[in-house]
Amino acid sequence: MLNRLREDISTVFERDPAARSILEVITCYPGLHAVWMHRIAHWLWNKNLKLPARLISHFARWITGIEIHPGAKIGRRFFIDHGMGVVIGETTEIGNDVTIYHQVTLGGTSTHKGKRHPTIGNNVVIGAGAKILGPIKIGDNCKIGANSVVVKDVPPNSTVVGIPGKIVKRDGIRTTRVDLEHGQLPDPVMETLKQMLDIIHFLELEIKTLKEDKK
């Protein structure tokens, strides 16, 4: 247990350049507090002590702003940076060396019991505000861009951005011109306007052709 606590603290230093001291990490990182309390809640949950587990989870949510259901399975060296607004559902499974940022939701799309939340592979980074919904699988070494909405399986070594999420890089090869540089993400409103202008231009040509035929 002590080795695991040390590992968690080391993980913070590895992934957050703002961390300055062990005392600061232990006292000022709500993501770390949420993970530690989740471990206790998850242990109680597995011992069929459901209510105490939920109470600890609820307390963690109150003091950290991070909601992790005690039934969720989380691997080692899990890091939540900032953390406010993070929601992780009951049947979520998270691998090792995963990093997520604030406002991330690992949510369900069904009210049925059983597996209804995502499975996240190892060494995955999930950007701020991203939503990963349903019993889908995110492969190892994936990057999910900020504010993306992912509702389909993502193969390993992929980068996903957009709403709905699209793979823009896989195995180091770009599939489109954008990556995780969010200022370069496509504007869906502008894309729609361009399509409408193309349709209007086409209709104008059709009307012009019909008028010439009548002459």
Side-chain angles (χ1 to χ4, degrees), residues 73-78 92-100 106 118-126 132 136-142 144 154-157:
K73 299 177 182 178
I74 296 177
R76 298 174 65 177
R77 296 176 296 279
F78 178 53
T92 301
E93 298 176 54
I94 299 174
N96 298 322
D97 302 298
V98 172
T99 300
I100 68 176
L106 305 180
T119 297
I120 310 298
N122 300 317
N123 196 35
V124 173
V125 178
I126 305 175
I132 303 177
I136 62 175
K137 294 183 178 180
I138 307 299
D140 295 345
N141 309 309
C142 284
I144 309 299
V154 178
N157 308 305

Side-chain angles (χ1 to χ4, degrees), residues 80-101:
I80 304 174
D81 199 2
H82 301 294
M84 180 62 69
V86 166
V87 177
I88 299 175
E90 178 187 5
T91 61
T92 301
E93 298 176 54
I94 299 174
N96 298 322
D97 302 298
V98 172
T99 300
I100 68 176
Y101 292 85

Side-chain angles (χ1 to χ4, degrees), residues 202-212:
F202 173 77
L203 291 174
E204 287 176 342
L205 291 176
E206 287 290 305
I207 292 170
K208 183 178 179 180
T209 301
L210 289 171
K211 287 181 178 179
E212 289 177 352

Side-chain angles (χ1 to χ4, degrees), residues 123-125 137-145 153-161 166-173 175 179-180:
N123 196 35
V124 173
V125 178
K137 294 183 178 180
I138 307 299
D140 295 345
N141 309 309
C142 284
K143 295 179 181 178
I144 309 299
D153 289 351
V154 178
N157 308 305
S158 298
T159 298
V160 175
V161 299
K166 295 181 180 180
I167 297 172
V168 296
K169 182 185 286 188
R170 185 174 180 187
D171 294 323
I173 301 174
T175 58
D179 193 356
L180 279 181

Side-chain angles (χ1 to χ4, degrees), residues 9-25:
I9 294 169
S10 295
T11 297
V12 175
F13 281 107
E14 290 171 3
R15 301 186 204 170
D16 186 2
R20 294 177 178 82
S21 69
I22 292 176
L23 181 61
E24 179 187 28
V25 168

Side-chain angles (χ1 to χ4, degrees), residues 41-50 53-54 69-71 90:
H42 185 65
W43 184 84
L44 291 170
W45 185 266
N46 288 337
K47 296 295 182 181
N48 207 33
L49 299 170
K50 308 296 187 185
R54 289 301 302 269
H69 193 283
E90 178 187 5

